[in-house]
Amino acid sequence: MVKIPSDIKDSALWKEGVDKIEWARMEMPVLRKIEADFKKNKPFKGIRMAACLHVTTETANLMRCLKSGGADVHLCASNPLSTQDSTAAALVEKYGIPVYAIHGENNKVYYKHIHQVLDIKPHLTMDDGADLVSTLHKDRKPLIKDIIGGTEETTTGVIRLRSMAADKALKYPIIAVNDAMTKHFFDNRYGTGQSTIDGLLRSTNILLSGKHFVVAGYGWCGRGLAMRAAGMGARVIVTEIDHVKAIEAVMDGFDVMPMNDAASIGDIFITLAGNCNVINGDHLKAMKNGAIVANSGHFDSEIDLKALNKLAKKAPRRIRHELDEYVIGTKKIYLVAQGRLINLASAEGHPASVMDMSFANQALCSEYMIKNAKKLKKTVYPVPLDIDNKIAAIKLDTMGIKIDKLTKEQIKYLASWKEGT
Ligand code: ADE
């Protein structure tokens, strides 16, 4: 048997991983359909792919789909705390996919794994947060000549790539999967909403009902979280820097105020703003005894961890799963998942049914890139509308839901401008 290259925690965990990957697969009918098509048409024959994604059961099913399409895909983690070691073991031992990812790896190992994936001299990149693409452009420039194109999964990654494109630093075309309607309307909103609460409960097991629950950032992720927290009886406060989003939060029924005011009111704080120091040292000082602080944005930059450590003076104490107690004078503050993505570090990320659509976008956009890269410039592209519509249509079909079709008369009506009042 060929030895699959890898750097994982423990290959003996593979059986547990297979059971979980197969469980997730049942909720991923769109990806299964794409996999069946890929198996026949082999769009990635001869293509080497470097993927930097959260190593979860849902990602495992995407990797299987790409491999069925003929891709030689190698996977590393897009966050040091999101890797499921049993999933990594199953990918290597059962599905023959090289993986470089260990749960809890330090920054040095995290980047070593990114370099190992880049060592294959990829034709396509698939990224979540843009660490792979940024490393490639900064440290592995000679590899760029072999690259056809790439895809990016998340809001933060798309923002980074747009900055690269604006600086003329981006050297190949990338499709912003995050911006597909079938991605952010569902994954960012319902996925983050549910999985963030899941992570919070696994780490704290607190009752949400009646608690002051501060949501920092009212993008699609914040909207989803505020909606789900309110649904569990929490008293939701939203903080924002964008006037329009702030009005939306008000009209959705939430209290809106600056973090300076919310800091002394909140029982639970969750950041999803995609920025640094959304919760800073002054906010931490103003918080009540027992306040719980967590982040559900891509990077661990949203809570000022340096300030937290400085205020606490002593190292934190681990008291539960991914829950650390900081003593600040006479009060205690609780930090979840070291300020990293709570939904993936404390729980298992978004449920498979929603990742089904996100990863269907990844699969179809990678195929699109192979077919169309020659026509594309070195910039960030939206997901083609027909891919978005196709994914929505398949998802509805697999849910057994039918919808109406425009009649000829309605098509004509929509195309005319003469008829009015
Ligand atoms: N991002 C959020 N949830 C995820 C999951 N379950 N798998 C991969 N990436 C994710």
Side-chain angles (χ1 to χ4, degrees):
M1 233 181 68
V2 197
K3 174 116 180 69
I4 304 297
S6 66
D7 188 17
I8 58 174
K9 172 105 184 270
D10 181 1
S11 17
L13 298 172
W14 71 273
K15 275 198 185 136
E16 179 192 327
V18 170
D19 284 342
K20 288 184 174 167
I21 291 167
E22 293 297 338
W23 173 253
R25 188 176 176 81
M26 287 197 290
E27 288 271 281
M28 304 183 89
V30 182
L31 203 62
R32 288 202 310 267
K33 161 134 190 21
I34 294 169
E35 185 174 318
D37 294 344
F38 280 2
K39 215 173 207 156
K40 263 193 257 145
N41 304 324
K42 300 280 178 212
F44 303 115
K45 192 160 172 253
I47 294 292
R48 292 187 297 274
M49 283 183 82
C52 178
L53 300 168
H54 300 295
V55 181
T56 64
T57 53
E58 293 74 30
T59 299
N61 284 305
L62 172 61
M63 295 299 107
R64 292 169 68 185
C65 171
L66 299 170
K67 190 178 177 194
S68 295
D72 174 17
V73 58
H74 292 225
L75 174 67
C76 65
S78 60
N79 186 295
L81 283 190
S82 60
T83 298
Q84 297 163 2
D85 290 319
S86 61
T87 297
L91 276 167
V92 174
E93 299 299 327
K94 166 85 179 176
Y95 304 111
I97 294 167
V99 179
Y100 307 87
I102 299 171
H103 185 95
E105 62 196 14
N106 62 28
N107 256 33
K108 199 168 152 215
V109 176
Y110 175 79
Y111 278 101
K112 181 182 91 177
H113 287 156
I114 288 185
H115 280 284
Q116 281 177 302
V117 160
L118 288 172
D119 285 343
I120 66 163
K121 300 193 174 120
H123 302 112
L124 284 182
T125 61
M126 186 176 280
D127 214 347
D128 185 337
D131 280 346
L132 180 80
V133 174
S134 153
T135 304
L136 177 64
H137 282 72
K138 282 190 300 200
D139 306 331
R140 304 293 297 270
K141 288 193 186 88
L143 299 179
I144 291 173
K145 64 175 182 335
D146 292 326
I147 299 200
I148 298 168
T151 54
E152 168 54 52
E153 169 78 6
T154 201
T155 318
T156 295
V158 171
I159 292 170
R160 283 178 95 187
L161 293 171
R162 291 220 167 96
S163 309
M164 285 177 76
D167 278 353
K168 304 249 177 302
L170 186 65
K171 298 299 177 202
Y172 60 87
I174 297 198
I175 299 182
V177 163
N178 180 72
D179 296 356
M181 289 179 285
T182 47
K183 202 277 184 181
H184 66 269
F185 287 165
F186 304 95
D187 167 316
N188 301 31
R189 180 167 35 174
Y190 303 114
T192 306
Q194 180 166 321
S195 62
T196 301
I197 301 270
D198 183 10
L200 181 67
L201 297 185
R202 289 196 206 195
S203 278
T204 65
N205 194 30
I206 50 160
L207 182 75
L208 298 184
S209 200
K211 294 284 193 319
H212 285 109
F213 193 112
V214 181
V215 175
Y218 207 64
W220 287 106
C221 295
R223 289 175 180 113
L225 177 59
M227 173 172 62
R228 290 297 179 247
M232 295 192 71
R235 300 154 79 180
V236 175
I237 297 168
V238 170
T239 69
E240 246 308 330
I241 47 90
D242 179 286
H243 295 98
V244 177
K245 286 182 186 155
I247 305 174
E248 189 183 352
V250 171
M251 295 219 178
D252 284 345
F254 303 121
D255 282 340
V256 175
M257 63 184 76
M259 185 60 88
N260 277 345
D261 297 345
S264 58
I265 302 173
D267 300 299
I268 301 154
F269 296 80
I270 308 221
T271 54
L272 323 84
N275 214 328
C276 61
N277 299 335
V278 177
I279 291 181
N280 63 29
D282 289 338
H283 301 140
L284 290 164
K285 271 191 225 159
M287 283 179 193
K288 299 193 281 203
N289 179 33
I292 295 166
V293 184
N295 165 51
S296 201
H298 187 80
F299 287 120
D300 60 347
S301 57
E302 305 208 14
I303 301 161
D304 187 347
L305 299 174
K306 257 199 202 134
L308 179 58
N309 281 296
K310 211 162 144 202
L311 283 168
K313 293 191 181 77
K314 267 202 341 222
R317 192 168 69 94
R318 174 61 52 106
I319 56 165
R320 280 177 59 96
H321 166 64
E322 289 298 345
L323 189 66
D324 292 331
E325 180 185 82
Y326 287 77
V327 180
I328 303 178
T330 54
K331 80 176 176 192
K332 289 172 180 166
I333 299 282
Y334 295 92
L335 176 71
V336 188
Q338 303 166 53
R340 295 203 186 270
L341 278 166
I342 182 176
N343 60 338
L344 280 140
S346 290
E348 295 171 63
H350 305 346
S353 174
V354 95
M355 293 313 293
D356 187 27
M357 287 192 285
S358 308
F359 284 166
N361 275 291
Q362 286 284 13
L364 294 180
C365 288
S366 296
E367 181 188 31
Y368 176 91
M369 196 48 93
I370 296 284
K371 292 186 177 154
N372 296 281
K374 284 208 178 91
K375 294 184 265 175
L376 302 180
K377 297 197 183 86
K378 297 168 183 175
T379 190
V380 181
Y381 282 88
V383 171
L385 201 56
D386 57 337
I387 290 186
D388 228 345
N389 284 330
K390 177 176 168 175
I391 291 168
I394 304 175
K395 189 72 173 176
L396 279 172
D397 187 45
T398 62
M399 294 166 104
I401 294 168
K402 296 196 179 5
I403 63 169
D404 289 327
K405 274 202 176 80
L406 288 172
T407 62
K408 278 192 186 136
E409 180 195 30
Q410 288 170 329
I411 293 170
K412 203 168 143 213
Y413 177 84
L414 288 175
S416 72
W417 53 271
K418 289 185 183 153
E419 275 175 63
T421 311

Short mmCIF file of all heavy atoms in Angstrom, two decimals, residues 91-130:
data_model
loop_
_atom_site.label_atom_id
_atom_site.label_comp_id
_atom_site.label_asym_id
_atom_site.label_seq_id
_atom_site.Cartn_x
_atom_site.Cartn_y
_atom_site.Cartn_z
N LEU A 91 -9.05 10.82 7.02
CA LEU A 91 -8.71 11.30 5.68
C LEU A 91 -7.45 10.60 5.16
O LEU A 91 -7.39 10.18 4.00
CB LEU A 91 -8.50 12.82 5.69
CG LEU A 91 -9.77 13.65 5.56
CD1 LEU A 91 -9.50 15.11 5.90
CD2 LEU A 91 -10.35 13.54 4.16
N VAL A 92 -6.48 10.45 6.04
CA VAL A 92 -5.21 9.83 5.63
C VAL A 92 -5.38 8.32 5.47
O VAL A 92 -5.06 7.75 4.42
CB VAL A 92 -4.11 10.15 6.67
CG1 VAL A 92 -2.83 9.41 6.34
CG2 VAL A 92 -3.86 11.66 6.72
N GLU A 93 -5.92 7.68 6.51
CA GLU A 93 -5.91 6.21 6.55
C GLU A 93 -6.99 5.57 5.70
O GLU A 93 -6.79 4.50 5.13
CB GLU A 93 -6.07 5.73 8.01
CG GLU A 93 -4.97 6.19 8.94
CD GLU A 93 -3.58 5.68 8.50
OE1 GLU A 93 -3.49 4.56 7.95
OE2 GLU A 93 -2.59 6.42 8.70
N LYS A 94 -8.15 6.21 5.60
CA LYS A 94 -9.26 5.58 4.87
C LYS A 94 -9.42 6.16 3.46
O LYS A 94 -9.68 5.44 2.51
CB LYS A 94 -10.54 5.76 5.69
CG LYS A 94 -11.83 5.46 4.96
CD LYS A 94 -12.17 3.99 4.99
CE LYS A 94 -13.50 3.74 4.26
NZ LYS A 94 -13.82 2.34 4.20
N TYR A 95 -9.29 7.47 3.36
CA TYR A 95 -9.63 8.10 2.07
C TYR A 95 -8.38 8.47 1.25
O TYR A 95 -8.52 9.01 0.15
CB TYR A 95 -10.52 9.33 2.30
CG TYR A 95 -11.78 8.99 3.08
CD1 TYR A 95 -11.96 9.44 4.39
CD2 TYR A 95 -12.77 8.18 2.53
CE1 TYR A 95 -13.10 9.09 5.13
CE2 TYR A 95 -13.90 7.83 3.24
CZ TYR A 95 -14.05 8.29 4.54
OH TYR A 95 -15.16 7.94 5.26
N GLY A 96 -7.20 8.21 1.80
CA GLY A 96 -5.96 8.40 1.04
C GLY A 96 -5.67 9.86 0.69
O GLY A 96 -5.11 10.14 -0.37
N ILE A 97 -6.05 10.77 1.58
CA ILE A 97 -5.82 12.20 1.32
C ILE A 97 -4.76 12.74 2.30
O ILE A 97 -4.93 12.64 3.53
CB ILE A 97 -7.14 12.99 1.42
CG1 ILE A 97 -8.06 12.54 0.28
CG2 ILE A 97 -6.90 14.51 1.37
CD1 ILE A 97 -9.49 12.96 0.38
N PRO A 98 -3.66 13.29 1.79
CA PRO A 98 -2.62 13.81 2.67
C PRO A 98 -3.13 14.99 3.53
O PRO A 98 -3.76 15.91 3.01
CB PRO A 98 -1.53 14.30 1.71
CG PRO A 98 -1.80 13.54 0.44
CD PRO A 98 -3.29 13.38 0.37
N VAL A 99 -2.83 14.92 4.83
CA VAL A 99 -3.27 15.97 5.76
C VAL A 99 -2.10 16.36 6.66
O VAL A 99 -1.36 15.50 7.14
CB VAL A 99 -4.44 15.48 6.66
CG1 VAL A 99 -4.87 16.59 7.63
CG2 VAL A 99 -5.63 15.04 5.83
N TYR A 100 -1.97 17.66 6.87
CA TYR A 100 -0.96 18.19 7.79
C TYR A 100 -1.71 19.08 8.77
O TYR A 100 -1.96 20.25 8.49
CB TYR A 100 0.09 19.01 7.03
CG TYR A 100 0.70 18.23 5.88
CD1 TYR A 100 0.09 18.24 4.62
CD2 TYR A 100 1.84 17.46 6.06
CE1 TYR A 100 0.62 17.49 3.57
CE2 TYR A 100 2.37 16.72 5.03
CZ TYR A 100 1.76 16.74 3.79
OH TYR A 100 2.27 16.00 2.77
N ALA A 101 -2.10 18.54 9.90
CA ALA A 101 -2.89 19.32 10.86
C ALA A 101 -2.98 18.56 12.17
O ALA A 101 -3.30 17.36 12.15
CB ALA A 101 -4.29 19.56 10.31
N ILE A 102 -2.73 19.25 13.25
CA ILE A 102 -2.81 18.65 14.59
C ILE A 102 -3.55 19.63 15.49
O ILE A 102 -3.16 20.81 15.57
CB ILE A 102 -1.40 18.37 15.16
CG1 ILE A 102 -0.65 17.37 14.25
CG2 ILE A 102 -1.47 17.86 16.59
CD1 ILE A 102 0.82 17.19 14.61
N HIS A 103 -4.58 19.17 16.14
CA HIS A 103 -5.34 20.06 17.03
C HIS A 103 -4.40 20.65 18.10
O HIS A 103 -3.66 19.92 18.75
CB HIS A 103 -6.47 19.29 17.72
CG HIS A 103 -7.35 20.17 18.55
ND1 HIS A 103 -8.51 20.72 18.07
CD2 HIS A 103 -7.20 20.65 19.81
CE1 HIS A 103 -9.04 21.47 19.01
NE2 HIS A 103 -8.26 21.45 20.08
N GLY A 104 -4.44 21.97 18.24
CA GLY A 104 -3.63 22.63 19.27
C GLY A 104 -2.22 22.95 18.83
O GLY A 104 -1.40 23.38 19.65
N GLU A 105 -1.91 22.73 17.55
CA GLU A 105 -0.55 23.02 17.06
C GLU A 105 -0.20 24.49 17.32
O GLU A 105 -1.09 25.36 17.28
CB GLU A 105 -0.45 22.70 15.55
CG GLU A 105 -1.35 23.52 14.66
CD GLU A 105 -1.54 22.94 13.25
OE1 GLU A 105 -1.19 21.78 13.01
OE2 GLU A 105 -2.07 23.68 12.39
N ASN A 106 1.10 24.74 17.58
CA ASN A 106 1.48 26.14 17.80
C ASN A 106 1.67 26.84 16.45
O ASN A 106 1.60 26.20 15.39
CB ASN A 106 2.71 26.25 18.70
CG ASN A 106 3.94 25.58 18.09
OD1 ASN A 106 4.06 25.50 16.87
ND2 ASN A 106 4.83 25.10 18.93
N ASN A 107 1.93 28.13 16.49
CA ASN A 107 2.02 28.92 15.26
C ASN A 107 3.10 28.42 14.31
O ASN A 107 2.94 28.43 13.10
CB ASN A 107 2.30 30.39 15.60
CG ASN A 107 1.04 31.20 15.44
OD1 ASN A 107 -0.07 30.68 15.68
ND2 ASN A 107 1.16 32.45 15.02
N LYS A 108 4.22 27.95 14.92
CA LYS A 108 5.34 27.48 14.10
C LYS A 108 4.90 26.24 13.31
O LYS A 108 5.14 26.14 12.10
CB LYS A 108 6.52 27.17 15.04
CG LYS A 108 7.81 27.11 14.32
CD LYS A 108 8.98 27.09 15.30
CE LYS A 108 10.13 26.37 14.61
NZ LYS A 108 10.93 25.58 15.50
N VAL A 109 4.25 25.33 13.99
CA VAL A 109 3.81 24.10 13.32
C VAL A 109 2.69 24.42 12.31
O VAL A 109 2.65 23.87 11.20
CB VAL A 109 3.34 23.05 14.36
CG1 VAL A 109 2.78 21.81 13.67
CG2 VAL A 109 4.49 22.68 15.29
N TYR A 110 1.82 25.35 12.70
CA TYR A 110 0.73 25.77 11.79
C TYR A 110 1.32 26.22 10.44
O TYR A 110 0.89 25.78 9.38
CB TYR A 110 -0.05 26.90 12.47
CG TYR A 110 -1.12 27.54 11.62
CD1 TYR A 110 -2.36 26.92 11.44
CD2 TYR A 110 -0.93 28.78 11.01
CE1 TYR A 110 -3.35 27.50 10.67
CE2 TYR A 110 -1.91 29.37 10.24
CZ TYR A 110 -3.12 28.72 10.07
OH TYR A 110 -4.10 29.30 9.31
N TYR A 111 2.34 27.07 10.50
CA TYR A 111 2.93 27.56 9.24
C TYR A 111 3.79 26.49 8.56
O TYR A 111 3.87 26.45 7.34
CB TYR A 111 3.69 28.88 9.47
CG TYR A 111 2.71 30.04 9.46
CD1 TYR A 111 2.28 30.62 10.64
CD2 TYR A 111 2.17 30.49 8.26
CE1 TYR A 111 1.34 31.65 10.63
CE2 TYR A 111 1.24 31.52 8.24
CZ TYR A 111 0.83 32.10 9.42
OH TYR A 111 -0.10 33.10 9.40
N LYS A 112 4.40 25.61 9.34
CA LYS A 112 5.15 24.50 8.73
C LYS A 112 4.18 23.66 7.88
O LYS A 112 4.49 23.27 6.75
CB LYS A 112 5.79 23.64 9.83
CG LYS A 112 6.61 22.47 9.27
CD LYS A 112 7.19 21.59 10.35
CE LYS A 112 6.23 20.47 10.68
NZ LYS A 112 6.65 19.51 11.64
N HIS A 113 2.98 23.44 8.41
CA HIS A 113 1.98 22.65 7.68
C HIS A 113 1.53 23.37 6.40
O HIS A 113 1.33 22.73 5.37
CB HIS A 113 0.79 22.33 8.59
CG HIS A 113 1.11 21.30 9.62
ND1 HIS A 113 0.42 21.18 10.81
CD2 HIS A 113 2.07 20.34 9.65
CE1 HIS A 113 0.93 20.18 11.51
NE2 HIS A 113 1.93 19.66 10.83
N ILE A 114 1.38 24.67 6.47
CA ILE A 114 1.02 25.43 5.26
C ILE A 114 2.12 25.24 4.20
O ILE A 114 1.85 24.98 3.03
CB ILE A 114 0.79 26.92 5.59
CG1 ILE A 114 -0.52 27.07 6.37
CG2 ILE A 114 0.79 27.79 4.32
CD1 ILE A 114 -0.95 28.49 6.67
N HIS A 115 3.36 25.31 4.65
CA HIS A 115 4.48 25.13 3.69
C HIS A 115 4.49 23.71 3.12
O HIS A 115 4.77 23.51 1.94
CB HIS A 115 5.82 25.46 4.37
CG HIS A 115 6.08 26.95 4.43
ND1 HIS A 115 6.47 27.67 3.33
CD2 HIS A 115 5.94 27.84 5.44
CE1 HIS A 115 6.59 28.95 3.67
NE2 HIS A 115 6.26 29.08 4.94
N GLN A 116 4.15 22.72 3.95
CA GLN A 116 4.15 21.34 3.45
C GLN A 116 3.11 21.15 2.35
O GLN A 116 3.34 20.43 1.38
CB GLN A 116 3.90 20.36 4.60
CG GLN A 116 5.17 20.16 5.42
CD GLN A 116 4.96 19.24 6.61
OE1 GLN A 116 4.12 19.51 7.47
NE2 GLN A 116 5.73 18.17 6.68
N VAL A 117 1.97 21.81 2.51
CA VAL A 117 0.93 21.73 1.48
C VAL A 117 1.38 22.46 0.21
O VAL A 117 1.15 22.00 -0.92
CB VAL A 117 -0.40 22.27 2.06
CG1 VAL A 117 -1.36 22.66 0.98
CG2 VAL A 117 -1.04 21.22 2.96
N LEU A 118 2.08 23.57 0.41
CA LEU A 118 2.58 24.31 -0.77
C LEU A 118 3.70 23.56 -1.49
O LEU A 118 3.90 23.76 -2.70
CB LEU A 118 3.07 25.70 -0.33
CG LEU A 118 1.97 26.69 0.06
CD1 LEU A 118 2.58 27.96 0.64
CD2 LEU A 118 1.07 27.02 -1.12
N ASP A 119 4.39 22.69 -0.75
CA ASP A 119 5.49 21.93 -1.37
C ASP A 119 5.04 21.10 -2.58
O ASP A 119 5.87 20.70 -3.38
CB ASP A 119 6.14 20.98 -0.33
CG ASP A 119 7.01 21.73 0.67
OD1 ASP A 119 7.37 22.88 0.39
OD2 ASP A 119 7.31 21.15 1.74
N ILE A 120 3.76 20.82 -2.70
CA ILE A 120 3.29 19.99 -3.84
C ILE A 120 3.27 20.79 -5.14
O ILE A 120 2.93 20.27 -6.18
CB ILE A 120 1.90 19.37 -3.59
CG1 ILE A 120 0.80 20.47 -3.50
CG2 ILE A 120 1.89 18.49 -2.35
CD1 ILE A 120 -0.61 19.93 -3.66
N LYS A 121 3.60 22.08 -5.08
CA LYS A 121 3.55 22.96 -6.26
C LYS A 121 2.13 22.97 -6.85
O LYS A 121 1.89 22.47 -7.95
CB LYS A 121 4.55 22.50 -7.32
CG LYS A 121 5.98 22.51 -6.85
CD LYS A 121 6.92 22.36 -8.05
CE LYS A 121 8.35 22.52 -7.63
NZ LYS A 121 9.20 21.40 -7.86
N PRO A 122 1.21 23.54 -6.10
CA PRO A 122 -0.20 23.43 -6.50
C PRO A 122 -0.54 24.20 -7.78
O PRO A 122 0.12 25.18 -8.12
CB PRO A 122 -0.94 24.06 -5.31
CG PRO A 122 0.05 24.95 -4.65
CD PRO A 122 1.39 24.30 -4.85
N HIS A 123 -1.60 23.70 -8.47
CA HIS A 123 -2.19 24.46 -9.58
C HIS A 123 -3.35 25.31 -9.08
O HIS A 123 -3.68 26.34 -9.66
CB HIS A 123 -2.73 23.50 -10.65
CG HIS A 123 -1.69 22.58 -11.21
ND1 HIS A 123 -1.69 21.21 -10.99
CD2 HIS A 123 -0.60 22.84 -11.96
CE1 HIS A 123 -0.64 20.67 -11.61
NE2 HIS A 123 0.03 21.63 -12.19
N LEU A 124 -4.02 24.81 -8.04
CA LEU A 124 -5.18 25.53 -7.47
C LEU A 124 -4.98 25.67 -5.97
O LEU A 124 -4.43 24.76 -5.33
CB LEU A 124 -6.46 24.72 -7.67
CG LEU A 124 -7.13 24.68 -9.04
CD1 LEU A 124 -8.41 23.85 -8.95
CD2 LEU A 124 -7.47 26.08 -9.56
N THR A 125 -5.44 26.81 -5.41
CA THR A 125 -5.46 26.94 -3.95
C THR A 125 -6.91 27.07 -3.49
O THR A 125 -7.76 27.61 -4.20
CB THR A 125 -4.67 28.19 -3.47
OG1 THR A 125 -5.26 29.38 -4.02
CG2 THR A 125 -3.22 28.11 -3.86
N MET A 126 -7.15 26.55 -2.29
CA MET A 126 -8.48 26.68 -1.66
C MET A 126 -8.19 27.13 -0.23
O MET A 126 -7.55 26.40 0.52
CB MET A 126 -9.19 25.34 -1.69
CG MET A 126 -10.61 25.38 -1.21
SD MET A 126 -11.42 23.78 -1.40
CE MET A 126 -11.85 23.79 -3.12
N ASP A 127 -8.64 28.33 0.12
CA ASP A 127 -8.20 28.93 1.38
C ASP A 127 -9.39 29.33 2.25
O ASP A 127 -10.50 29.56 1.74
CB ASP A 127 -7.37 30.18 1.03
CG ASP A 127 -6.24 30.42 2.02
OD1 ASP A 127 -6.26 29.80 3.08
OD2 ASP A 127 -5.36 31.25 1.72
N ASP A 128 -9.15 29.44 3.55
CA ASP A 128 -10.17 29.92 4.48
C ASP A 128 -9.49 30.91 5.43
O ASP A 128 -8.92 30.50 6.44
CB ASP A 128 -10.78 28.74 5.24
CG ASP A 128 -11.94 29.16 6.13
OD1 ASP A 128 -12.02 30.35 6.49
OD2 ASP A 128 -12.78 28.31 6.47
N GLY A 129 -9.48 32.19 5.05
CA GLY A 129 -8.83 33.20 5.88
C GLY A 129 -7.60 33.81 5.22
O GLY A 129 -7.02 34.75 5.73
N ALA A 130 -7.15 33.19 4.12
CA ALA A 130 -6.06 33.71 3.27
C ALA A 130 -4.65 33.56 3.84
O ALA A 130 -3.72 34.17 3.33
CB ALA A 130 -6.33 35.17 2.86
#
